[in-house]
Amino acid sequence: MLTTFQKAFKYGHPFLSYTFLSALTFFRSRSKRRRRADTAPAMPLNLLSPPAAAKLAPSLRATPLRRGYSFVPAPHHPGRVSMASSMSAAAARSAGPAVAAAETKQVSGKKQVLISLSDKTDLAYLGNGLQGLGYSIISTGGTASSLESAGVNVTKVEEITNFPEMLDGRVKTLHPSIHGGILARRDQEHHLKALKEHGIGTFDVVVVNLYPFYDKVTSGAVSFEDGIENIDIGGPTMIRAAAKNHKDVLVVVDHNDYPALLEYLKGNQEDQQFRKKLAWKAFQHVASYDSAVSEWLWKQSHKGDTFPPSFTVPLELRSTLRYGENPHQNAAFYADKSLSLVGAGGIATAIQHHGKEMSYNNYLDADAAWNCVSEFDSPTCVVVKHTNPCGVASRQDILEAYRLAVRADPVSAFGGIVAFNTTIDEDLAKEIREFRSPVDGQTRMFYEIVVAPGYTEKGLEILRGKSKTLRILEAKRSGKGMLSLRQVAGGWLAQESDDVTPEDITFTTKSKRVPQENELSDAKFAWLCAKHVKSNAIVIAKNNCMLGMGSGQPNRRESLRIAFKKAGEEAKGAALASDAFFPFAWNDAVEEACQNGIGIIAQPGGSMRDDDSVDCCNKYGVSLVFTGVRHFRH
């Protein structure tokens, strides 16, 4: 048996070493040569290798054994571990924890900070600031190394727990010596007594941020196993613990809060509001982190399933707006940090190069304009007013497209938003700056916003000179396949985005007259424009140019009349598109369109009176095509 335990000591196995020493204690206490408890003989050096002694001594230094023995280094025999009894068994059981408290690295009443960071921005500034205020710093792994490199004195977590980091770093801080010091309430005597009994010191500040899970899983192709390994466990646990006990523990998760933290500590303040704000930020930090993990795991385990039973949308404040839709409404703009929207483009991620700050209505209008112009592959200009496209034109010459888009409804275009799907160069910028209103030929066109995918240096310079207030946005093309959310009182509506384009469907001829190729092209253009017009929507177009549109009317016939009024004589031979089917034909919208000289009508079909629409078009010699797809927009 001694040979086996000698091997255990040689290789530093703590459990077997402990067992051997316990057995040795027992046998010696029973021998005739038993000595008094306080003069127990020292253990021979050859039973413990130096590494084993170094590893074993701290963990057993104050561990009560049978008959009152405890292990301590033998000061009079260097290189040995001796067994010495300092008290009776009963005394050891009652005083043992107190001995442990005296031996621990943590000292009750000493100001301590726990720091564990993945993002080490401004860590040296924080560490030196805390050290200058007299705080002892306990830290983990890479954070401790960074602090030491910055000249900050650090105690490593394993020196507090007397337990090594294990399981590839999965277990470092999940230990009572850490969480007891965080969670103990300082106004509860029995909490402090428990800490003292177990030799645990308190933490006054906890500074933690989390593994970069979000960045990892959005950086490209990431294996499932790699994603799982980047889920932080110990970090959220410490953050939540400190935030819960914020009355006694300051918790910081954002390096931008370091200066405020140090100022607070310098003043020895007791501002509970400051503590509550940090606690809120901590819980929100963890909640956003968990929402990313949840979203990622849902997609990993439910491929193709769009609607989870529950989910969280992580929103991040980008700006407080001057007001909402109206001056009496407060408003703010938030960015959606969902994983699905990373790299999705759109107005939320646009860069503003110039002009006044964006307003609530600016965001809505710019979004409508950008979503519409992003649908077209050919060089296109879209003009939007109150989220409706009032002018759309596609031409290889983008200057001509711009002029045509404005002329579709110059009154509405004035004060609107103009969007392009091509880079704005010097020539286009000059045209935007100098173009006169078609209404009087004199007034320069005024716009709230210009948005495009890019600008040349000269083009941007010229546009900046048009107006101090003109908002100039640079945006990436909006992505497809997004989840669309809309709030109703007490809940939210969720749907897949409407990504259908003319290329995705078949335009089926229902009339006797088969449309010519250019007429069918006009119908597709008008139908794509109608997709972005508020229902009831009617669009009249010809030669890849919107001539007139009617939007938002309670009945389709009124929208049709508004569109014809704007199109005027140019409507003859043009294409007309409707976002939904016509419920009536005779003496209604279909017949009225035919009588006004329309050459082709595109509609979804699906009405119980579709045959009336067919017969009406046949009577007037108008082509009729069904798309089979509706484009309601409310």
Side-chain angles (χ1 to χ4, degrees):
M1 181 175 72
L2 288 180
T3 302
T4 301
F5 282 113
Q6 284 174 331
K7 290 180 179 179
F9 280 114
K10 179 179 180 181
Y11 295 107
H13 194 297
F15 176 76
L16 293 180
S17 303
Y18 183 98
T19 306
F20 170 73
L21 292 171
S22 299
L24 187 60
T25 303
F26 177 76
F27 288 129
R28 285 181 170 170
S29 69
R30 296 286 301 270
S31 69
K32 292 181 180 179
R33 292 176 285 112
R34 178 174 56 191
R35 300 183 180 184
R36 293 181 59 182
D38 57 353
T39 58
M43 183 183 299
L45 176 62
N46 62 358
L47 288 181
L48 274 180
S49 65
K55 182 186 294 184
L56 190 60
S59 61
L60 298 179
R61 179 176 294 147
T63 305
L65 300 178
R66 293 177 64 109
R67 300 185 65 82
Y69 289 100
S70 62
F71 292 110
V72 296
H76 51 288
H77 290 295
R80 295 189 180 188
V81 173
S82 68
M83 289 186 303
S85 173
S86 57
M87 59 197 76
S88 66
R93 281 193 295 271
S94 62
V99 176
E103 293 289 342
T104 185
K105 284 276 187 181
Q106 291 175 296
V107 180
S108 180
K110 189 174 183 179
K111 297 188 297 183
Q112 295 192 123
V113 179
L114 177 62
I115 306 178
S116 181
L117 302 172
S118 289
D119 178 1
K120 297 175 178 61
T121 302
D122 295 332
L123 175 57
Y125 163 77
L126 175 68
N128 283 295
L130 290 169
Q131 186 170 264
L133 292 172
Y135 283 84
S136 296
I137 297 175
I138 290 84
S139 190
T140 60
T143 306
S145 298
S146 296
L147 285 166
E148 288 173 339
S149 298
V152 179
N153 295 324
V154 181
T155 298
K156 294 185 178 179
V157 163
E158 49 265 40
E159 297 178 52
I160 299 298
T161 62
N162 286 323
F163 206 90
E165 178 181 317
M166 62 184 296
L167 305 181
D168 299 320
R170 286 189 171 199
V171 178
K172 287 185 286 194
T173 57
L174 297 170
H175 193 280
S177 293
I178 300 300
H179 287 276
I182 297 174
L183 283 166
R185 291 179 56 180
R186 315 302 151 80
D187 60 350
Q188 297 294 318
E189 192 62 35
H190 63 287
H191 281 207
L192 300 179
K193 181 179 179 182
L195 293 186
K196 184 176 181 180
E197 287 178 351
H198 295 282
I200 298 173
T202 57
F203 289 104
D204 302 283
V205 183
V206 171
V207 185
V208 178
N209 57 45
L210 307 176
Y211 292 169
F213 176 84
Y214 185 95
D215 294 335
K216 186 70 176 180
V217 298
T218 58
S219 62
V222 177
S223 69
F224 181 78
E225 291 74 18
D226 199 12
I228 290 294
E229 285 307 310
N230 276 274
I231 298 175
D232 204 321
I233 301 301
T237 308
M238 288 187 288
I239 291 172
R240 290 175 62 87
K244 177 176 181 176
N245 201 28
H246 64 270
K247 183 179 178 182
D248 297 310
V249 183
L250 289 158
V251 57
V252 179
V253 295
D254 183 355
H255 64 86
N256 291 312
D257 291 325
Y258 293 170
L261 170 69
L262 293 175
E263 283 300 314
Y264 181 88
L265 295 175
K266 283 178 185 176
N268 292 315
Q269 302 176 47
E270 283 303 324
D271 181 3
Q272 285 298 315
Q273 282 302 113
F274 180 71
R275 291 175 174 271
K276 288 176 182 177
K277 287 178 182 177
L278 291 180
W280 165 82
K281 196 169 189 177
F283 277 118
Q284 183 59 42
H285 182 65
V286 175
S288 296
Y289 189 87
D290 287 344
S291 73
V293 174
S294 174
E295 182 185 355
W296 180 76
L297 274 174
W298 168 262
K299 291 180 178 178
Q300 296 291 319
S301 57
H302 296 78
K303 295 185 183 297
D305 195 341
T306 306
F307 304 107
S310 65
F311 67 99
T312 303
V313 179
L315 301 179
E316 183 179 273
L317 181 66
R318 286 293 175 83
S319 62
T320 300
L321 306 179
R322 286 178 296 153
Y323 51 81
E325 283 188 282
N326 302 291
H328 64 275
Q329 295 171 274
N330 294 325
F333 174 63
Y334 289 83
D336 190 336
K337 302 298 288 184
S338 297
L339 298 178
S340 60
L341 293 182
V342 173
I347 289 300
T349 59
I351 300 169
Q352 183 171 351
H353 291 291
H354 181 72
K356 290 173 63 176
E357 64 184 64
M358 293 281 285
S359 71
Y360 185 96
N361 294 329
N362 288 156
Y363 275 112
L364 292 176
D365 288 336
D367 184 60
W370 185 242
N371 288 340
C372 183
V373 80
S374 295
E375 293 268 26
F376 297 88
D377 294 323
S378 300
T380 300
C381 174
V382 171
V383 182
V384 159
K385 192 69 166 289
H386 296 310
T387 72
N388 279 299
C390 56
V392 182
S394 295
R395 289 289 188 276
Q396 287 306 311
D397 181 357
I398 191 63
L399 274 71
E400 183 184 0
Y402 165 62
R403 298 184 195 112
L404 290 172
V406 175
R407 287 187 178 122
D409 187 352
V411 175
S412 297
F414 194 88
I417 286 80
V418 59
F420 300 87
N421 62 358
T422 61
T423 298
I424 294 180
D425 60 13
E426 180 179 356
D427 291 338
L428 180 54
K430 286 180 178 178
E431 189 69 14
I432 295 170
R433 186 184 68 182
E434 300 297 336
F435 189 68
R436 309 293 165 154
S437 171
V439 175
D440 61 12
Q442 296 181 1
T443 305
R444 284 185 181 179
M445 291 299 296
F446 163 73
Y447 303 113
E448 291 277 355
I449 302 169
V450 175
V451 55
Y455 301 82
T456 65
E457 184 176 345
K458 191 65 176 178
L460 191 57
E461 178 186 335
I462 291 169
L463 281 181
R464 282 172 171 157
K466 179 174 174 61
S467 167
K468 292 181 179 180
T469 63
L470 176 65
R471 300 162 183 87
I472 303 174
L473 304 183
E474 180 180 331
K476 294 181 180 178
R477 177 169 288 210
S478 303
K480 296 184 180 297
M482 302 295 105
L483 189 65
S484 175
L485 297 174
R486 191 167 181 178
Q487 191 173 16
V488 296
W492 291 81
L493 293 168
Q495 66 173 349
E496 296 174 337
S497 57
D498 184 0
D499 298 328
V500 177
T501 65
E503 290 70 33
D504 300 321
I505 64 172
T506 301
F507 285 70
T508 305
T509 302
K510 293 294 184 178
S511 59
K512 291 179 181 178
R513 180 178 181 274
V514 177
Q516 296 179 14
E517 185 175 343
N518 65 308
E519 291 178 317
L520 188 58
S521 176
D522 288 341
K524 291 179 178 180
F525 181 90
W527 185 77
L528 186 55
C529 291
K531 171 183 172 180
H532 293 272
V533 176
K534 292 290 192 298
S535 300
N536 287 304
I538 297 291
V539 170
I540 299 173
K542 190 174 184 179
N543 296 330
N544 292 328
C545 177
M546 178 190 286
L547 303 176
M549 70 88 182
S551 65
Q553 298 305 306
N555 72 75
R556 196 161 299 279
R557 196 172 183 180
E558 286 301 317
S559 289
L560 180 136
R561 288 171 176 170
I562 293 171
F564 272 111
K565 181 180 179 180
K566 292 179 178 179
E569 289 300 313
E570 292 185 88
K572 295 189 183 300
L576 182 149
S578 174
D579 64 337
F581 64 68
F582 291 102
F584 301 100
W586 300 110
N587 197 32
D588 206 279
V590 175
E591 187 170 23
E592 195 168 324
C594 293
Q595 291 172 342
N596 277 281
I598 282 294
I600 180 173
I601 296 174
Q603 61 144 315
S607 168
M608 61 186 298
R609 297 182 181 86
D610 277 348
D611 288 343
D612 288 350
S613 293
V614 174
D615 293 341
C616 185
C617 287
N618 286 336
K619 175 184 176 180
Y620 289 94
V622 173
S623 296
L624 176 65
V625 294
F626 283 1
T627 65
V629 175
R630 189 179 74 184
H631 275 316
F632 266 164
R633 180 175 290 267
H634 288 86

